[in-house]
Amino acid sequence: MDNTLFENVDKYIGDLLAVEDSALKKTIQSISDNDIPSISVSANQGKFLHIMALLCHANRILELGTLAGYSTIWMARALPVNGKLVTVEFNEQHAKVAQKNIDGAGLTARIELRVGKAADILAKMIADKEEAFDMIFIDADKPPYAEYFGYALSLAKPGTLIICDNVIRDGKILDKNSTDENVKGAQRFNKMLSQNAKVTATIVATVGVKEFDGMAIAVVK
Ligand code: SAH
Ligand code: DHB
Ligand code: MG
């Protein structure tokens, strides 16, 4: 499918409503400068996450999968001054670049970057009885999404918003015979979501400068 129209419209919306300041521009630049994969959310998706954080009056946000800190910065900018965002990244190079970008955005005090595997860090947070989060953004490796969601529920409270990126994967989730572990992870996650009585959820499909994909949006009952 020709994506040009979707890309152009996405750029049009972005130029109007998701304008990147120098900190966000530098974050995108740091991704190519350091040969990091270009898989951060788009500017419009960053603004979307920002608005979601404002809507749930988030004081505490948890993110799985920091990359270079692009989505992190968009969300943290919706926090009140005493708010906190914890972001989890297991790749040390990504974490190093992200910390620099977070510092460059003036968000050092508001963002805590924890380096390690998401499953380990989540299990520790639960064992330590950390305070519940108001918003949780799941965007790390795709195969264990269903497990990450289970952990997220243990760190949530009624009203917590849980958003999960990349659950449509260019429509490949329709292929029941897919052998792609990322697709299978999304399929397993989406089915679990549909059967999970603890949340009410939908999936918003997205087109634009990134591939055709979707974000699951769940509210804890
Ligand atoms: N949220 C970012 C993009 C994240 S890309 C943005 O939109 O700007 C996914 C990130 O998850 C990568 O940096 C990858 O290194 C990290 N990751 C992959 N597996 C992980 C795991 N098991 N635990 C923690 N982070 C992981
Ligand atoms: C991939 C990961 C992402 O978080 C994303 O937004 C796009 C692609 C990936 O691992 O392929
Ligand atoms: Mg993603």
Side-chain angles (χ1 to χ4, degrees):
M1 186 178 55
D2 182 8
N3 200 40
T4 316
L5 181 60
F6 293 147
E7 273 186 47
N8 289 340
V9 171
D10 202 19
K11 283 190 190 121
Y12 164 85
I13 300 168
D15 288 346
L16 284 172
L17 294 161
V19 180
E20 291 170 332
D21 68 348
S22 77
L24 286 168
K25 283 195 186 120
K26 280 183 191 157
T27 298
I28 293 299
Q29 186 61 42
S30 76
I31 292 173
S32 45
D33 289 351
N34 290 283
D35 286 320
I36 293 172
S38 177
I39 53 174
S40 45
V41 295
S42 68
N44 284 331
Q45 289 169 338
K47 181 71 180 283
F48 174 77
L49 293 170
H50 178 92
I51 288 174
M52 289 295 116
L54 290 176
L55 264 177
C56 62
H57 304 287
N59 263 302
R60 282 174 58 77
I61 301 176
L62 172 64
E63 174 179 60
L64 306 183
T66 316
L67 196 76
Y70 185 79
S71 53
T72 322
I73 292 169
W74 272 110
M75 289 189 286
R77 284 181 168 169
L79 288 168
V81 277
N82 60 344
K84 182 161 178 191
L85 186 153
V86 175
T87 185
V88 179
E89 173 59 55
F90 89 132
N91 179 305
E92 292 192 10
Q93 187 218 6
H94 296 180
K96 205 172 147 216
V97 171
Q99 188 61 58
K100 211 174 150 216
N101 291 326
I102 290 163
D103 297 343
L107 290 166
T108 315
R110 236 178 285 178
I111 298 173
E112 189 191 328
L113 173 56
R114 296 196 193 167
V115 184
K117 283 193 176 165
D120 298 343
I121 290 179
L122 288 163
K124 187 170 186 311
M125 288 176 113
I126 294 163
D128 291 348
K129 296 193 164 40
E130 279 199 33
E131 197 187 323
F133 291 91
D134 306 299
M135 176 173 167
I136 302 175
F137 180 49
I138 300 180
D139 194 21
D141 48 331
K142 314 306 168 190
Y145 257 36
E147 286 72 32
Y148 292 159
F149 194 81
Y151 284 120
L153 285 176
S154 300
L155 293 162
K157 58 188 177 190
T160 295
L161 183 64
I162 306 177
I163 301 186
C164 307
D165 197 22
N166 314 116
V167 299
I168 296 299
R169 308 220 58 108
D170 220 3
K172 294 191 184 85
I173 39 79
L174 296 179
D175 179 5
K176 292 192 179 75
N177 301 316
S178 177
T179 53
D180 178 331
E181 290 304 323
N182 291 331
V183 172
K184 284 164 74 180
Q187 288 169 329
R188 212 158 60 81
F189 168 79
N190 293 337
K191 184 154 188 229
M192 176 284 300
L193 190 64
S194 75
Q195 296 168 343
N196 196 314
K198 294 181 179 149
V199 297
T200 182
T202 189
I203 295 172
V204 177
T206 53
V207 292
V209 296
K210 300 277 167 174
E211 73 164 5
F212 171 38
D213 214 320
M215 284 192 192
I217 303 184
V219 179
V220 178
K221 288 183 194 163

